Amino acid sequence: MISFKEAYGKVLDHKQDYGTEQIPLKIAMGRVLAEEVIADRDFPPFNRATKDGIAINYEAIVAGQTTFKLEGILPAGMAAKLLGNKEQAIEIMTGAVVPDNADAVVMYEHLVIENGWATLIKNPSKGQDIHIQGSDRKMGELVLQKNTRITASEIGILAAVGKSTLMVKKLPKTAIISTGNELVEVKEQPLPHQIRKSNIHTLFGALSQEGIVPGEYHLADDKEIIKKELATILNNYDVVLLSGGVSKGKYDYIPEVLEELGVEKVFHRVLQRPGKPFWFGVRPETGTIVFSFPGNPASTFANYQVYFKDWLRSSLGLPNPTISVILEEEIPIKGDLTQLLRVQLKLDNGQMLASQVKENGSGDLTSLALTDGFIVLDPEQEFYKAGESVPFVPTRQLL
Amino acid sequence: MISFKEAYGKVLDHKQDYGTEQIPLKIAMGRVLAEEVIADRDFPPFNRATKDGIAINYEAIVAGQTTFKLEGILPAGMAAKLLGNKEQAIEIMTGAVVPDNADAVVMYEHLVIENGWATLIKNPSKGQDIHIQGSDRKMGELVLQKNTRITASEIGILAAVGKSTLMVKKLPKTAIISTGNELVEVKEQPLPHQIRKSNIHTLFGALSQEGIVPGEYHLADDKEIIKKELATILNNYDVVLLSGGVSKGKYDYIPEVLEELGVEKVFHRVLQRPGKPFWFGVRPETGTIVFSFPGNPASTFANYQVYFKDWLRSSLGLPNPTISVILEEEIPIKGDLTQLLRVQLKLDNGQMLASQVKENGSGDLTSLALTDGFIVLDPEQEFYKAGESVPFVPTRQLL
């Protein structure tokens, strides 16, 4: 049995690189950028009017001029044009190219326009309401770094620089497997000694948020069947997540079958609760990574959140920042296990406050509905004080 | 022109109810539950062994017995069975039904088993390692409330109670429309006075995170074309998001055309920066809600995040909690506009600390890549002190 910290370190040591692929911008949300994105033009690409009004040359203002003959109109999307002379003005619309010999835009709100003449009712300043070419970014400058998670704002930037397709990190081909003869399908009415599958659906939902559509399997508690089916699955997937069959039971064949199939055990059993019988291994032959989680709902859920998510982020080149939250109550520590405690989070005046969810052990599925995440408590400490900050692993989107 | 607070209130006053629909569990992630979910059985549905070992009757322990004859084995998924007599024990696996006349499970780690007899090496306590029937939830009890956002943990609970299909809130049929003759497609090389479409892609990405796949349109700056196409769009969608064409420009036909098509203006222009020329209306004939955002990238983005997202949450029956963050630096307030300032967030020891992103006005798209959200600063305050907490609207997932 190894410590939680050691187990976490070993999982992250086995991060993989699944390479890159080209995808259309349309489906890039949530993916991780695998290329540096460069401004293909200046940002903005020309001196751009940021108000609707008139473009003028400031020399006329310095010379005391307050009324301007209008010589036409410049809509957005029209090719650049010069002022006919510096004493005249041209109407200009937001997004249009400011004439090269103009250096201020005066918005309609500060003008009276009559019979083709515009009179200023407020003194402009030089350069006002012009978004200067290249002032945000120059052509050739980096606009998005490699290894950036693509959210809505990155999508806009990618569109602006012409990335209709882009290189992103490939996601691992992932299988999820439920085990246990007590399990029946969701749509079935279980017999009194049976329960419905739930972990595999939780994992499917969680993975879908990472953009992963996993293959789904169920293995009966029969060693020969497990061996035959697992052999095929291990050949076909980059990552395999199992739920159940890793404890000390007579029918817990998973660890021995995995080893028979060439998966090398990195560790089995971690000094943590829930999720202690976690088995983790790698199969050198195919590079397959195997997360074999204990089958209690809170155990599978906690181990997925604590180990798998960070392993995936690392494998995609993303950082794994530690998030801390503040305890609302004192928590005494008993025993020698790292505790992954279910908490609710309150965001209050810029603080993240965690309070324990009442729960009933690792089999208690219903408590997970009240849970915003897990706090990670070290067994070497005697107790945690209220107000102390502790590491936190979110399990739902809170911000 | 109205205040930011007033505008926000008016948008939320126009929340809608788009009804409910039945969907398969498989695609329920992120949706909002439209029914109360009840436990169809006790949770757990039987006295369930939580360890692998033996089941015994505690009376034998009280009587001083430490060695038990093993009378067989109870795997998970096997129908309930009684102990033959209270002096014997039966091997039992995690997840199996504990015999009705047994009241403790002793795990293998605390046993020596030889020749069909088990000897205790540690004294058990009554009831240990049994997850009692109904101890998490009783049959008929509520396990998930209506109006709950479905995340991975809710998926597991829905599976466990047999919800292979479920009722969720319908999402509004949504159209997104770009406007402006300066815009070209992402894959095109723009002429010097043109730029590529970006807002519509940002909106598409942001909506996809809400589970909405919007219809996409572009309108040229031509009043007749706008009117003809908008008429059809308004008839076919619940919500229309426009970007651009709402300022004071000569070709900003959107507000007048919307009104000609029967969309009643709720407000136009808000005392805020960015996003001031925001036009918001409702069309009584079809119930269509129209968010017409100014076309600068930061304006569309901020208004989407600040108004539309909360309007959608309200329309789906979700609460809109105010999130506050702590300012890392003093910010002086000038002018009479509510400021939506771009900030980066640092999560530090349970605190959410916001620092301003260097930006270059509402046209600066590249700064949005550095932005975690907007803080909302009230113009009635003279300045905000470092350490003060202020309202925050996240624009990417931070927790």
Side-chain angles (χ1 to χ4, degrees):
Chain A
M1 203 134 45
I2 63 172
S3 74
F4 171 75
K5 263 184 209 151
E6 221 180 323
Y8 180 83
K10 281 180 190 288
V11 168
L12 287 211
D13 285 347
H14 286 84
K15 72 174 181 184
Q16 304 291 304
D17 183 347
Y18 295 109
T20 63
E21 61 183 338
Q22 195 176 37
I23 60 165
L25 180 62
K26 208 84 202 183
I27 57 167
M29 271 297 281
R31 299 297 296 270
V32 177
L33 200 54
E35 57 176 320
E36 292 192 331
V37 178
I38 303 296
D40 72 323
R41 312 165 74 196
D42 288 341
F43 265 70
F46 45 81
N47 291 338
R48 185 181 154 274
T50 66
K51 291 276 163 50
D52 305 304
I54 61 170
I56 56 168
N57 186 297
Y58 198 71
E59 284 174 25
I61 302 294
V62 174
Q65 192 180 331
T66 56
T67 298
F68 295 81
K69 185 166 179 12
L70 297 176
E71 55 176 60
I73 188 159
L74 270 176
M78 182 181 270
K81 214 173 153 176
L82 286 175
L83 285 179
N85 68 60
K86 294 185 180 176
E87 288 77 42
Q88 294 193 354
I90 189 162
E91 283 188 82
I92 191 163
M93 302 301 123
T94 303
V97 186
V98 176
D100 265 351
N101 57 349
D103 49 13
V105 168
V106 184
M107 61 176 160
Y108 284 130
E109 291 88 332
H110 296 167
L111 297 172
V112 175
I113 295 187
E114 255 175 1
N115 301 322
W117 290 78
T119 305
L120 307 183
I121 56 178
K122 197 183 164 193
N123 236 17
S125 56
K126 191 172 173 179
Q128 77 177 20
D129 292 332
I130 300 175
H131 191 184
I132 295 289
Q133 176 173 346
S135 58
D136 301 342
R137 288 290 201 303
K138 297 275 184 228
M139 185 171 103
E141 273 184 27
L142 190 72
V143 288
L144 289 175
Q145 288 180 319
K146 205 170 148 174
N147 295 347
T148 297
R149 174 89 76 179
I150 298 169
T151 72
S153 50
E154 283 79 17
I155 295 274
I157 294 166
L158 289 162
V161 300
K163 285 278 170 194
S164 57
T165 63
L166 59 151
M167 296 304 292
V168 296
K169 297 291 178 85
K170 257 193 204 164
L171 294 164
K173 206 178 159 200
T174 305
I176 53 178
I177 309 176
S178 54
T179 70
N181 284 349
E182 73 276 29
L183 299 179
V184 301
E185 296 299 328
V186 174
K187 59 179 185 295
E188 288 179 42
Q189 182 57 48
L191 295 171
H193 53 281
Q194 296 177 324
I195 57 172
R196 296 188 185 93
K197 290 177 185 173
S198 66
N199 287 339
I200 195 157
H201 298 285
T202 305
L203 291 175
F204 185 92
L207 287 166
S208 73
Q209 289 220 301
E210 308 289 342
I212 294 173
V213 183
E216 290 173 79
Y217 300 89
H218 177 77
L219 299 177
D221 291 332
D222 174 306
K223 193 176 164 186
E224 284 319 300
I225 295 177
I226 291 176
K227 190 162 178 180
K228 187 161 164 278
E229 298 197 17
L230 257 186
T232 311
I233 294 167
L234 287 169
N235 284 336
N236 290 335
Y237 289 91
D238 298 317
V239 190
V240 176
L241 307 182
L242 289 118
S243 169
V246 289
S247 295
K248 300 258 184 192
K250 286 272 187 276
Y251 310 99
D252 290 346
Y253 301 118
I254 302 295
E256 63 182 277
V257 172
L258 285 170
E259 297 191 45
E260 286 171 23
L261 292 170
V263 186
E264 291 174 4
K265 180 178 83 176
V266 175
F267 59 79
H268 185 194
R269 304 172 69 78
V270 184
L271 287 160
Q272 69 174 68
R273 180 171 42 224
K276 186 163 74 172
F278 176 27
W279 190 102
F280 179 74
V282 58
R283 191 186 192 216
E285 188 191 339
T286 49
T288 317
I289 303 289
V290 179
F291 291 81
S292 202
F293 300 135
N296 273 324
S299 304
T300 290
F301 191 62
N303 280 333
Y304 174 87
Q305 301 288 349
V306 168
Y307 294 103
F308 177 79
K309 262 170 59 181
D310 282 3
W311 172 87
L312 180 63
R313 290 178 58 89
S314 285
S315 294
L316 297 175
L318 295 172
N320 281 315
T322 302
I323 299 171
S324 293
V325 295
I326 298 164
L327 291 179
E328 290 223 275
E329 66 240 322
E330 177 178 317
I331 301 179
I333 298 298
K334 277 186 286 193
D336 58 353
L337 304 179
T338 292
Q339 291 188 55
L340 307 173
L341 286 188
R342 284 156 248 192
V343 295
Q344 270 190 324
L345 210 61
K346 200 169 70 186
L347 303 178
D348 187 33
N349 275 320
Q351 297 202 305
M352 303 187 282
L353 304 172
S355 57
Q356 262 189 275
V357 170
K358 192 178 153 289
E359 47 90 354
N360 206 4
S362 55
D364 184 359
L365 178 58
T366 58
S367 69
L368 295 178
L370 307 170
T371 298
D372 293 326
F374 293 95
I375 52 171
V376 182
L377 302 186
D378 192 327
E380 283 174 22
Q381 203 158 324
E382 270 181 35
F383 65 93
Y384 283 85
K385 294 191 294 281
E388 199 163 339
S389 84
V390 293
F392 173 74
V393 178
T395 58
R396 66 175 78 238
Q397 185 174 348
L398 298 158
L399 258 186
Chain B
M1 204 133 45
I2 64 174
S3 73
F4 172 75
K5 263 183 206 149
E6 223 181 321
Y8 180 83
K10 281 181 192 289
V11 169
L12 287 211
D13 286 348
H14 285 83
K15 71 174 183 185
Q16 305 290 304
D17 183 348
Y18 295 108
T20 62
E21 62 183 337
Q22 196 176 36
I23 61 165
L25 180 62
K26 207 89 203 181
I27 59 168
M29 270 300 279
R31 299 297 295 270
V32 177
L33 201 54
E35 58 176 319
E36 293 192 329
V37 178
I38 303 297
D40 72 323
R41 312 164 74 195
D42 288 340
F43 264 69
F46 46 78
N47 291 339
R48 184 180 155 277
T50 65
K51 292 276 164 50
D52 306 303
I54 63 170
I56 55 166
N57 185 296
Y58 198 72
E59 284 174 26
I61 302 295
V62 175
Q65 193 178 331
T66 55
T67 299
F68 294 81
K69 186 168 180 4
L70 298 175
E71 56 177 60
I73 190 157
L74 272 174
M78 183 182 269
K81 211 171 154 177
L82 285 175
L83 285 179
N85 69 60
K86 296 187 180 174
E87 289 75 43
Q88 293 192 356
I90 189 164
E91 282 187 83
I92 191 164
M93 303 301 124
T94 303
V97 185
V98 176
D100 265 351
N101 58 349
D103 50 12
V105 167
V106 184
M107 61 177 161
Y108 284 129
E109 291 89 332
H110 296 168
L111 297 172
V112 174
I113 295 187
E114 256 175 359
N115 301 322
W117 289 77
T119 304
L120 308 183
I121 55 177
K122 195 182 164 193
N123 236 17
S125 56
K126 193 173 176 179
Q128 77 176 22
D129 293 331
I130 300 175
H131 191 184
I132 295 290
Q133 175 172 348
S135 58
D136 301 340
R137 287 291 163 53
K138 297 273 183 228
M139 186 170 105
E141 274 183 26
L142 190 72
V143 288
L144 290 175
Q145 288 181 320
K146 207 171 146 171
N147 295 347
T148 296
R149 175 86 77 178
I150 298 169
T151 71
S153 50
E154 283 78 17
I155 295 274
I157 294 167
L158 289 161
V161 301
K163 286 278 170 194
S164 56
T165 65
L166 60 150
M167 297 304 291
V168 296
K169 297 292 178 81
K170 257 193 204 163
L171 294 164
K173 208 180 157 196
T174 305
I176 53 178
I177 310 176
S178 55
T179 69
N181 284 351
E182 73 276 29
L183 299 180
V184 301
E185 296 299 330
V186 174
K187 60 179 182 296
E188 287 179 44
Q189 182 57 48
L191 295 171
H193 53 280
Q194 295 177 324
I195 57 172
R196 297 189 186 93
K197 292 178 184 172
S198 65
N199 287 339
I200 196 157
H201 298 284
T202 305
L203 291 175
F204 185 92
L207 287 165
S208 73
Q209 289 221 300
E210 307 289 342
I212 294 173
V213 182
E216 290 172 80
Y217 300 90
H218 178 77
L219 299 177
D221 292 332
D222 174 307
K223 192 175 167 189
E224 285 318 300
I225 294 177
I226 291 176
K227 189 161 180 183
K228 188 161 162 278
E229 298 197 18
L230 256 186
T232 311
I233 295 168
L234 288 168
N235 284 337
N236 289 336
Y237 288 92
D238 298 317
V239 190
V240 176
L241 307 183
L242 288 119
S243 169
V246 290
S247 294
K248 301 258 183 191
K250 285 274 187 274
Y251 310 98
D252 290 345
Y253 301 119
I254 302 294
E256 63 182 281
V257 172
L258 285 169
E259 295 192 46
E260 286 171 25
L261 293 170
V263 186
E264 292 174 3
K265 179 178 83 177
V266 175
F267 59 79
H268 185 193
R269 302 172 70 76
V270 183
L271 289 159
Q272 70 175 66
R273 182 171 39 223
K276 186 162 75 172
F278 176 27
W279 191 102
F280 179 74
V282 57
R283 191 183 191 217
E285 189 191 337
T286 48
T288 318
I289 304 290
V290 179
F291 292 81
S292 202
F293 300 135
N296 272 324
S299 304
T300 291
F301 191 62
N303 280 332
Y304 173 88
Q305 301 288 349
V306 169
Y307 294 104
F308 177 79
K309 260 170 60 181
D310 281 3
W311 171 87
L312 180 65
R313 289 178 60 89
S314 286
S315 294
L316 296 174
L318 295 172
N320 280 315
T322 303
I323 298 171
S324 293
V325 294
I326 298 164
L327 290 180
E328 289 223 275
E329 66 240 323
E330 177 177 317
I331 301 180
I333 298 299
K334 279 184 284 191
D336 57 354
L337 304 178
T338 292
Q339 290 189 55
L340 307 174
L341 286 189
R342 284 157 249 188
V343 296
Q344 270 190 324
L345 210 62
K346 198 169 71 186
L347 302 178
D348 187 32
N349 274 322
Q351 296 203 306
M352 300 186 284
L353 304 173
S355 57
Q356 260 187 278
V357 170
K358 191 178 155 291
E359 47 92 352
N360 204 4
S362 54
D364 183 1
L365 177 58
T366 57
S367 69
L368 295 177
L370 306 171
T371 298
D372 293 326
F374 292 96
I375 52 172
V376 183
L377 301 186
D378 193 329
E380 284 174 22
Q381 204 159 322
E382 272 181 34
F383 64 92
Y384 284 84
K385 294 192 293 282
E388 200 164 339
S389 83
V390 294
F392 173 74
V393 178
T395 58
R396 68 173 79 238
Q397 184 174 346
L398 297 159
L399 261 186

